[in-house]
Amino acid sequence: MEKIVLDEERVVELVTNFILSKPRGNWHKEKAQVADLHGHGVDIKLVGGKRNSEYFLVECKGKSYAKSAESINKQTNWMFALAQIIKRMDTKRVIEKGKHKGEPNRAYKYGLGLCAESAKVALASIPKNIAQVLNLHIFSVNDYGEVIQFTPSKFGKKYEDSKFYLNPLGTY
């Protein structure tokens, strides 16, 4: 398997395909909206889910290959993506009425599509309870184009590099 360049367009493509191809995901390909590279709004907007009326909004960032890439990939990229997705959260995050009052609103899911290096730092940095309230997911894309999804319950922990790959690291 060969390494690929993870620019933002490629991350958007890989994350979109991953979400749409998930068994029992029920996200509608015909309703999927993918922004162009310089467009306004979220990078990926999907409709469907368990109740067929949910939204999944995902902001993606490509991997930096600049000389200062280590700090960009480990700190800056995921913070910019998180800030952009938070700015687009225009729904009440907690249900205000009925038997589910006080529970997180699950009709909207949010995600960050990041290179594995950025995802690793973001997962360790964002507390689990915050990710659960925001219904925030991370889609980690490694150098081989594999996408690994981390649900809100997986936040607030440090992970070994091997958790960001589908196969043992020495087999690529």
Side-chain angles (χ1 to χ4, degrees):
M1 201 177 234
E2 284 188 41
K3 288 186 176 187
I4 61 171
V5 174
L6 292 176
D7 59 17
E8 188 168 320
E9 289 175 332
R10 186 64 184 233
V11 172
V12 168
E13 173 192 344
L14 291 166
V15 171
T16 302
N17 291 339
F18 174 83
I19 296 172
L20 289 174
S21 66
K22 285 190 76 165
R24 299 185 311 263
N26 197 35
W27 300 103
H28 304 293
K29 190 174 190 170
E30 69 279 1
K31 293 182 181 178
Q33 296 176 8
V34 177
D36 64 23
L37 187 58
H38 301 291
H40 293 287
V42 72
D43 291 322
I44 305 167
K45 181 178 181 181
L46 300 168
V47 178
K50 290 179 185 172
R51 294 183 296 271
N52 213 25
S53 61
E54 297 175 5
Y55 294 88
F56 211 143
L57 307 173
V58 183
E59 184 64 37
C60 297
K61 293 292 174 208
K63 183 175 181 177
S64 175
Y65 295 94
K67 287 182 181 180
S68 59
E70 187 173 348
S71 68
I72 292 169
N73 290 327
K74 288 187 177 179
Q75 292 298 328
T76 314
N77 270 357
W78 74 267
M79 285 192 249
F80 281 133
L82 181 61
Q84 286 177 294
I85 204 75
I86 287 173
K87 283 173 39 180
R88 292 179 176 94
M89 290 181 176
D90 59 355
T91 61
K92 301 225 183 248
R93 297 307 313 142
V94 178
I95 297 171
E96 295 181 335
K97 298 178 185 174
K99 68 178 184 178
H100 297 289
K101 182 179 179 179
E103 294 179 17
N105 180 353
R106 298 283 174 215
Y108 282 81
K109 295 178 186 227
Y110 298 93
L112 305 176
L114 305 168
C115 69
E117 294 90 336
S118 294
K120 185 176 181 179
V121 176
L123 284 163
S125 301
I126 301 170
K128 179 169 91 171
N129 60 337
I130 298 299
Q132 289 173 325
V133 169
L134 297 177
N135 206 4
L136 183 64
H137 299 245
I138 286 184
F139 298 93
S140 173
V141 183
N142 65 36
D143 291 330
Y144 300 98
E146 297 170 327
V147 179
I148 312 290
Q149 181 177 3
F150 292 87
T151 60
S153 65
K154 304 293 184 192
F155 282 65
K157 302 183 210 179
K158 291 185 178 184
Y159 290 94
E160 298 292 323
D161 290 343
S162 62
K163 296 294 183 187
F164 297 88
Y165 295 86
L166 297 176
N167 300 309
L169 287 173
T171 62
Y172 286 96

